[in-house]
Amino acid sequence: MQVPPNSDLTLGMVCLDKATPGVCTWRMTADERFANPAGIMQGGFLGAFADSAMGAAAVTFVRGRKVFAANAEMKISFLAPVPAGAVLTCTAEVVSGGNTVAFVEASLWAGSGGGAGEGDPAERLVARANSTYILRSRDPD
């Protein structure tokens, strides 16, 4: 299994913190290649960023078990436009889960890159997402 996956490499995602099981924070720059003609990030790329961050949170939630986390459904609400060049931070957290399922929420913040995320006046909440992940063991049966 390739870690990080090609999708994360393409988006330029970097994991900032995964020390707490079920919680992780990621960063990426809103690359102009993913913008619409008006210079605003396409929603699908923000969704992919949130999905990758939430999937990582689901995987760390299981504490040592080797699992695949398959997205069963996802919802994202776009709260503000994201201009090309903005630095995005996504914090994802498992809000409930068990052996076979994890319910995860994420917040996406946009800023110039010098901020500290939630609560920093230089950053703005631009999207919220939630998803259900099915957890399947990677160990042979």
Side-chain angles (χ1 to χ4, degrees), residues 46-66:
L46 298 176
F49 182 39
D51 181 25
S52 287
M54 289 188 293
V59 168
T60 67
F61 170 73
V62 298
R63 298 182 183 197
R65 283 180 41 216
K66 293 181 180 180

Side-chain angles (χ1 to χ4, degrees), residues 64-129:
R65 283 180 41 216
K66 293 181 180 180
V67 298
F68 293 111
N71 190 327
E73 58 81 32
M74 181 176 141
K75 178 190 181 297
I76 187 163
S77 297
F78 303 108
L79 308 174
V82 176
V87 175
L88 294 163
T89 304
C90 180
T91 299
E93 179 176 7
V94 174
V95 294
S96 182
N99 288 329
T100 59
V101 69
F103 301 96
V104 189
E105 294 181 348
S107 295
L108 285 79
W109 297 83
S112 61
E118 184 175 352
D120 188 309
E123 295 196 351
R124 180 176 186 181
L125 182 64
V126 295
R128 293 271 300 161

Side-chain angles (χ1 to χ4, degrees), residues 1-76:
M1 174 186 315
Q2 179 180 326
V3 177
N6 284 326
S7 58
D8 294 4
L9 295 172
T10 299
L11 290 174
M13 292 180 59
V14 176
C15 183
L16 300 178
D17 183 20
K18 60 178 181 176
T20 304
V23 180
C24 62
T25 301
W26 291 77
R27 181 161 288 158
M28 78 174 216
T29 299
D31 191 300
E32 66 183 21
R33 295 175 300 156
F34 309 134
N36 65 22
I40 303 300
M41 288 294 291
Q42 291 280 0
F45 292 101
L46 298 176
F49 182 39
D51 181 25
S52 287
M54 289 188 293
V59 168
T60 67
F61 170 73
V62 298
R63 298 182 183 197
R65 283 180 41 216
K66 293 181 180 180
V67 298
F68 293 111
N71 190 327
E73 58 81 32
M74 181 176 141
K75 178 190 181 297
I76 187 163

